[in-house]
Every structure is written in structure tokens, then in C-alpha cells.
Amino acid sequence: MKKRGMMTMILLTAALLCGCTIGKKTGSVPLMDFQAEMEWKSPSPAAGEKPRILFVGNSHTYYNNLSSMFVNIVNASGHRSSVQELSSGYYTLKQFADESDQGGALLDKTLKDRSWDFVILQEHTTNSLSAAAPEEMYPPSRILDQKIKDSGGQTAFLMTWTPKKGIKNQKPAQVQSDIASSYMTIAEELDSLVIPAGISFMRCLETYPDIELWDKDGQHPSPEGSYLAACTVYAVIFQESPENCSYTGDLDKELAQKLQNIAAETVLN
């Protein structure tokens, strides 16, 4: 099931549509070499015996039940976890940081009512573009990160992926460089984690161009894209390779192994 316009822990009464409409131009950050080896901050500590993990985001998170895919990868790899998700279409970190907003109030309560080892934040694509990020993404990220750290947890930013065809006159590689720059900038400032799913997408696109990572709308992930993102989350949180995981998300085993390899190489080199 691809779409579910609801908060996982509680149904939002507002009629929120699925999707992330793109309406702003990207900035002019340098084009990234997605195949280059990159060093990512490791969790301190890495996931323990049964980490408590909260996913926070919008339709990029709930499409194809990414958090459930992650749980299945964790289980198949011999670990256990306690995972919940708070997501709804079009939601931004700005809304989640606003306690007067319904989703923001729910997140605030969720962070106060239970301790979390990791809280995974996924921003709306438009707000993560470098032209918008300093005003739209960074301030709420600081607020949420402080709340997470005050509760003893670690913040992890789930870097999303470019639309399949890019944005307006910007090609996908340039848009992804732009998105990646924003996530990496705020994570470095806050000494938080980055889950480089968007870079995994670009590596896969360059290495296996026949694998379709996007849904028909060209913005949301296909089941293959969500599986790749879930493998990337696993590699960061557990600091272990998802390679040879028996759970394939209903994908062909050989295809799943290719995606596992991409995630492992992106995060763990």
C-alpha cells in the first residue's frame, strides 16, 4: 500500500493530501560526485539491543511503509527494535516544530511521553532546497534537535531524493546536490546524523539505471526506492551492512541484493 494520509500513531482529522509539490528553484551549490567515498557521522552509541526509533516526516516516509520495511530488515538481520512513525502528506519540519500545529503538538507529546534512542526527521523537498533551507528548514531543525537531545535521543536527518526529472531547468544531479548540501549543513551544525538516502538513489541510478526508484508521479519512491532508503537507514543506525538480508520487501532477490549493496557502500564504504 503506497498511500496512507494519516499519522501512524493517531489519525489527523485535517484533509491532508499525499505528496510534496515542488515549487521553488534550487540554489547553485557545487555538483556533487555521488560515487566518491564520503564519511558520515556514526551514532554514539550505535543502536543497542532494542533501540526505540521514531520516524517523523511526510509522504516520502510513509510511501510503501518505509518504516515497516526498516523493521523487517532489522528483524531479518537478527536484531529487535521498537519503531513508531509520525507522518502525513505535505508536512514540514516547521509544522512539526510548532506546538500550536496538530502534528507539532502530537510530536511534542510523543517526545515527552517516551524516551527515544533515535528520532529520524525528514523534511519536505521544497524546504530542503538551499534557497529555502536557511529560513524554512534550519530553524525548526534546531528546535526539534534540542527537544530530541533534551530527551536523551539522537537526531538523524533522512536525506530525501531529487524528483526523477529534476526541478524546472535543474537536472536531477544538481537538485540532489542541492538537497544533500542542506541536510549535510544542518546536520554538521547540530552534530547530528545524516541518513544519505538521496545519495544512495544517485549511486543506484548511475550504477543500475534499469532499476526504477521512483513512483509513476516522479517524486515519491517506488517500492525499490523505499527499500533502498530503508537499507540506508539500517546501515546508519546499526552501523552494519544490510547485505545478504533475507527480507527483500517482495522484490526479486537479486534486485534486493543490488540495493543492499548500494546502501552499504554509500554509508559504510
Side-chain angles (χ1 to χ4, degrees):
M1 181 178 179
K2 290 181 180 178
K3 303 179 182 181
R4 47 189 172 90
M6 57 174 286
M7 292 292 189
T8 299
M9 289 181 286
I10 186 170
L11 181 68
L12 281 181
T13 56
L16 297 173
L17 300 176
C18 302
C20 297
T21 302
I22 309 301
K24 295 184 180 180
K25 294 182 179 180
T26 65
S28 55
V29 302
L31 192 64
M32 182 176 290
D33 177 3
F34 300 107
Q35 296 294 345
E37 288 191 4
M38 304 178 192
E39 292 188 7
W40 304 100
K41 176 181 169 62
S42 300
S44 180
E49 193 67 27
K50 189 178 180 181
R52 298 174 299 276
I53 302 169
L54 176 64
F55 284 76
V56 178
N58 54 40
S59 51
H60 276 43
T61 290
Y62 69 64
Y63 244 61
N64 307 307
N65 296 321
L66 187 154
S67 61
S68 294
M69 284 187 173
F70 168 75
V71 170
N72 287 327
I73 292 169
V74 171
N75 291 342
S77 300
H79 300 291
R80 291 293 178 266
S81 61
S82 176
V83 174
Q84 288 184 276
E85 178 187 322
L86 185 58
S87 64
S88 191
Y90 287 112
Y91 250 68
T92 66
L93 295 186
K94 192 172 185 177
Q95 288 172 285
F96 279 120
D98 181 1
E99 294 177 23
S100 68
D101 179 273
Q102 190 172 14
L106 178 56
L107 176 57
D108 184 69
K109 183 177 186 301
T110 301
L111 292 174
K112 289 178 178 177
D113 286 353
R114 185 181 180 189
S115 61
W116 300 93
D117 296 302
F118 298 93
V119 179
I120 298 173
L121 303 177
Q122 177 254 307
E123 177 62 292
H124 189 293
T125 302
T126 299
N127 288 3
S128 67
L129 300 175
S130 61
E135 293 184 5
E136 301 296 331
M137 179 181 181
Y138 297 169
S141 294
R142 296 178 185 118
I143 293 171
L144 293 172
D145 176 73
Q146 190 59 56
K147 287 185 177 184
I148 293 164
K149 288 176 178 173
D150 285 346
S151 67
Q154 298 182 61
T155 303
F157 289 96
L158 175 56
M159 179 198 299
T160 53
W161 37 89
T162 173
K164 183 177 181 178
K165 295 183 179 179
I167 298 176
K168 295 186 177 180
N169 63 334
Q170 298 281 356
K171 294 182 178 180
Q174 181 60 64
V175 177
Q176 189 60 62
S177 298
D178 194 272
I179 293 171
S181 174
S182 296
Y183 276 93
M184 293 164 72
T185 296
I186 190 60
E188 181 177 11
E189 176 193 322
L190 299 175
D191 194 27
S192 298
L193 303 170
V194 176
I195 299 169
I199 293 176
S200 290
F201 266 58
M202 296 308 294
R203 283 188 168 217
C204 186
L205 182 63
E206 294 174 5
T207 306
Y208 304 112
D210 57 319
I211 298 179
E212 180 54 73
L213 299 174
W214 285 267
D215 184 66
K216 293 179 180 179
D217 65 13
Q219 294 187 31
H220 294 98
S222 66
E224 291 85 347
S226 292
Y227 184 79
L228 176 59
C231 285
T232 306
V233 176
Y234 176 83
V236 172
I237 299 298
F238 282 89
Q239 288 293 289
E240 292 181 4
S241 172
E243 294 169 295
N244 302 313
C245 177
S246 61
Y247 171 73
T248 63
D250 295 326
L251 303 177
D252 174 80
K253 182 177 180 181
E254 183 178 350
L255 170 57
Q257 287 178 338
K258 290 178 180 178
L259 298 174
Q260 294 167 7
N261 295 344
I262 290 291
E265 291 170 0
T266 300
V267 175
L268 304 172
N269 297 321

